[in-house]
Amino acid sequence: MNTQAIRIEDYTYELPENKIAKYPLQNRSDSKLLVFNQNIREYSFNDISSLLPPNSLLLFNNTKVIQARLNFQKQTGANIEIFCLEPVEPSDIAMIFQAKEKATWKCIVGNSKKWKEGSLSRDIYVNGTEVHLSISREKNMEDTQLIQFCWNSKDVSFGDLLDAIGNIPIPPYLNRKSEAIDTFRYQTVYSNHKGSVAAPTAGLHFTDEILAQIRKNNIHTAPVTLHVGAGTFKPVKSALIGEHEMHIEHFFVDMPTLDLILKYEEDITSVGTTTVRTLESLYWLGVKLLENKNELYVNQWDAYHLPQHYNLQEAIGRLKQYLIDEKRNILESHTGILIAPGYDFKVVNRLITNFHQPNSTLLLLVSAFTKGDNWKRIYDYALTHDFRFLSYGDSSLLYRGEESTQSKY
């Protein structure tokens, strides 16, 4: 199959506005759960621990959403919104939140036409300390701008500033401003490492109680970290997939998790598409090292051009050896992998995920995973059985297509 020749118009569907969940349910785990294997069945997410096979591995993305939207007001009264996308100086995702007095980010500027020149500022209180914060534009790019933040306190970090005045960047398709409930409900209960501007939403259904039950059922769990960028909401606007440019996201995986992937080969469940992107990228990084390519990152089309004859043990084993040689315990890389029909999955056997937007790369991933037109069966069922869609919507547990039949429902 020529993946680059795929037409996005073949991967769309009609999503009525009333099917989009604008707010989370009162209880995280009360969402509905569609299970696709030999047929389509309907459960509650509370049942997930009994639906996953014992002695298997569940991997999830423990990134934490930052309060990335900040509001400033000009003297004229015009409101300017700054949406922090990616750190520039310092560029390290951990260091940026510890930065003092100055930091530079790549940002989207809302109402930019009203901000023609000069800097903007506001006085705020951070942990009882009065701080004067100012911003200035350093460079204009195609869709973004480099914004430098400056503040007059050596005791206040950039992370402190975001916590004090930032807002959670809920998805644009919710068509509402963020509210108090989003501050904690647009985070997974296991979120740990700050860096995302969008939540890995498949994990929003999990509770501490469900995770405890999963482990009690002898299902092993482990984290990966991929910081989700705003590009996850970027629709495919080109007619052909080959003309779409994927966004780049940074990820981190430690040595113990690599060991577990090898131990539970062929019995791995991924919580969310961001975890899938991370896990599948690990394989291709290993292949690159096996092929003596000095590139520790995954490009958009690498998976369709690199050799595919290496098994998972070889690829992950080579990654482990790289970490040993470098005297490191954590692999840090970035990926722009595009997973679409024609992709051959190397790591993931089951996928827990929400229901995604039409014309999106996430829908392409689901189609690739379930094979053929099975995605249409799944989405038709969800639309006609009152499932809630998108970030705050219901969930699904999908088995890889080759493990499924073509039965109706």
Side-chain angles (χ1 to χ4, degrees), residues 79-94:
N79 290 313
I80 308 297
E81 183 187 72
I82 306 299
F83 183 7
C84 297
L85 295 180
E86 183 180 332
V88 175
E89 181 58 42
S91 60
D92 182 87
I93 194 68

Side-chain angles (χ1 to χ4, degrees), residues 375-388:
W375 77 267
K376 293 182 179 179
R377 297 174 51 223
I378 293 164
Y379 276 63
D380 284 347
Y381 184 96
L383 286 166
T384 56
H385 288 75
D386 297 321
F387 277 72
R388 303 160 70 249

Side-chain angles (χ1 to χ4, degrees), residues 216-264:
K216 184 178 179 181
N217 289 0
N218 200 31
I219 299 163
H220 301 264
T221 63
V224 300
T225 305
L226 180 139
H227 293 310
V228 189
T232 192
F233 300 125
K234 184 179 179 182
V236 180
K237 295 182 178 179
S238 56
L240 301 179
I241 300 306
E243 298 168 355
H244 177 74
E245 183 179 353
M246 278 295 288
H247 53 288
I248 305 297
E249 293 171 320
H250 288 79
F251 67 88
F252 306 81
V253 181
D254 62 22
M255 183 74 88
T257 297
L258 294 179
D259 288 332
L260 286 171
I261 291 170
L262 292 180
K263 180 178 179 180
Y264 291 98

Side-chain angles (χ1 to χ4, degrees), residues 180-198:
I181 191 173
D182 300 308
T183 303
F184 62 96
R185 289 301 298 276
Y186 197 60
Q187 302 277 15
T188 62
V189 296
Y190 46 72
S191 64
N192 191 27
H193 297 291
K194 288 183 177 181
S196 283
V197 298

Side-chain angles (χ1 to χ4, degrees), residues 2 34 44 71 73 76 105 117 129 139 144 148 158 203 212-213 241-242 265 312 355 383 386:
N2 183 0
L34 181 154
S44 164
N71 293 308
Q73 191 173 62
T76 60
W105 282 74
E117 60 184 4
T129 301
K139 183 179 180 181
T144 60
Q148 185 178 79
F158 187 78
Q213 186 60 52
I241 300 306
E265 181 183 6
L312 187 62
F355 297 94
L383 286 166
D386 297 321

